[in-house]
Amino acid sequence: MSRGRAAARFWLRRPGLMAAVAVLAVVLLAAFFPGLFTGRDPLSGVPAERLRGPSLHHLFGTDQLGRDLFSRVVHGAALSLKATSLAVAVGLVAGSALGLAAGYVGGLLDDALMRIADVLLAIPSLLLSLALVTALGFGTVKVAVAVGVTSVAGFARIMRAEVLRVREATYVEAARSSGSRPLAVLLRHVLPNASGPVLVYAAVEFGTVVLAVSALSFLGYGAEPPAPEWGSLVSGGRDYLATAWWLTTLPGLTIAATVLAAGRVSRALDGEAKEASR
């Protein structure tokens, strides 16, 4: 069987995964190339068209200022994914560094870093991110940093576990015996072979981080109005639930679809990683 036929059979047997990949592809295209989906200005509106329902002219309807909601959701993808990517990067880099040091050095450093991780895990993530963003101030970047810090402990624990496994491998012992410096062994042998599960965990965290960033934006800690961030779009329509349901429902469904799609793709990646490790 050719590789193309095998790949086609793999995807046809997983329609849910195909749909999830398609949703994420559309969201990424909207974030980087919003002009592919809409040519309307998300910040300007027509007062005469305020609170119009979904139609062919306005797919998601209009808001209280006559702005096209579909355009605002499309352009809001860039802000929301920017914050999500930065938050995952903060957790990945900081957590991996701490886990790498704890697992490879061991001893008192390992105990100290893991106790810090335990404290972070003991605090509810939303509460911790709220405390951090209150201290840092409002804005998309600060929300991303706050959410990223809450995920550091999870990355650190996974990286530490993988380092403890890899550092006893034969090729690592051979590198040490050959006289390689500890830093060279760490960067050339331990880190590359321990990073796989950590990267899979980053994919798993993506959907959770989208939800956390949207929650903080909903509470008013994200980008300042009139910037179209997904969470703030849901928040902005709360006063019009009785008369304009689309203002909260359609951006909310966009967030839900993105989170569910990211979760489905991450589960597939996790399954592939487990199969490869057997």
Side-chain angles (χ1 to χ4, degrees):
M1 183 182 294
S2 65
R3 289 185 178 181
R5 187 175 298 177
R9 176 174 292 185
F10 174 86
W11 287 106
L12 289 175
R13 287 180 175 178
R14 296 166 176 82
L17 181 59
M18 289 179 60
V21 171
V23 169
L24 290 182
V26 169
V27 171
L28 289 173
L29 284 173
F32 289 100
F33 307 103
L36 293 176
F37 299 91
T38 179
R40 298 178 184 273
D41 186 351
L43 302 181
S44 63
V46 180
E49 296 184 349
R50 61 186 300 272
L51 298 180
R52 295 282 179 89
S55 64
L56 292 178
H57 187 57
H58 298 288
L59 293 179
F60 282 13
T62 60
D63 65 8
Q64 65 274 20
L65 298 179
R67 296 172 296 194
D68 183 70
L69 185 59
F70 179 74
S71 176
R72 289 178 64 74
V73 170
V74 168
H75 285 269
L79 282 174
S80 296
L81 291 191
K82 170 188 173 183
T84 300
S85 302
L86 181 56
V88 172
V90 168
L92 175 64
V93 173
S96 297
L98 293 177
L100 195 63
Y104 194 72
V105 176
L108 292 176
L109 180 62
D110 183 18
D111 290 339
L113 291 178
M114 287 303 99
R115 296 301 74 76
I116 294 173
D118 290 340
V119 170
L120 290 176
L121 289 173
I123 304 172
S125 58
L126 182 59
L127 180 62
L128 180 57
S129 59
L130 278 172
L132 290 171
V133 79
T134 301
L136 295 173
F138 296 6
T140 301
V141 174
K142 293 172 182 177
V143 163
V145 172
V147 173
V149 170
T150 64
S151 63
V152 165
F155 283 102
R157 290 175 70 88
I158 292 176
M159 176 60 84
R160 173 183 176 272
E162 289 301 309
V163 171
L164 290 176
R165 179 183 63 83
V166 171
R167 74 177 186 179
E168 304 299 333
T170 304
Y171 55 86
V172 175
E173 294 293 338
R176 288 178 184 148
S177 301
S178 65
S180 298
R181 290 178 297 178
L183 183 60
V185 173
L186 183 67
L187 297 180
R188 293 179 183 176
H189 301 285
V190 176
L191 179 59
N193 290 284
S195 59
V198 181
L199 295 176
V200 171
Y201 182 71
V204 173
E205 278 288 283
F206 186 86
T208 304
V209 171
V210 168
L211 202 56
V213 167
S214 298
L216 291 179
S217 175
F218 176 86
L219 294 174
Y221 293 100
E224 294 184 1
E229 206 168 31
W230 284 352
S232 61
L233 290 178
V234 176
S235 177
R238 288 179 298 170
D239 296 333
Y240 302 91
L241 281 173
T243 56
W245 56 268
W246 56 89
L247 294 182
T248 53
T249 302
L250 297 181
L253 288 176
T254 302
I255 296 171
T258 303
V259 172
L260 291 173
R264 180 65 184 87
V265 172
S266 65
R267 287 197 303 272
L269 292 175
D270 189 31
E272 290 295 321
K274 288 178 180 178
E275 287 291 331
S277 63
R278 290 178 181 176

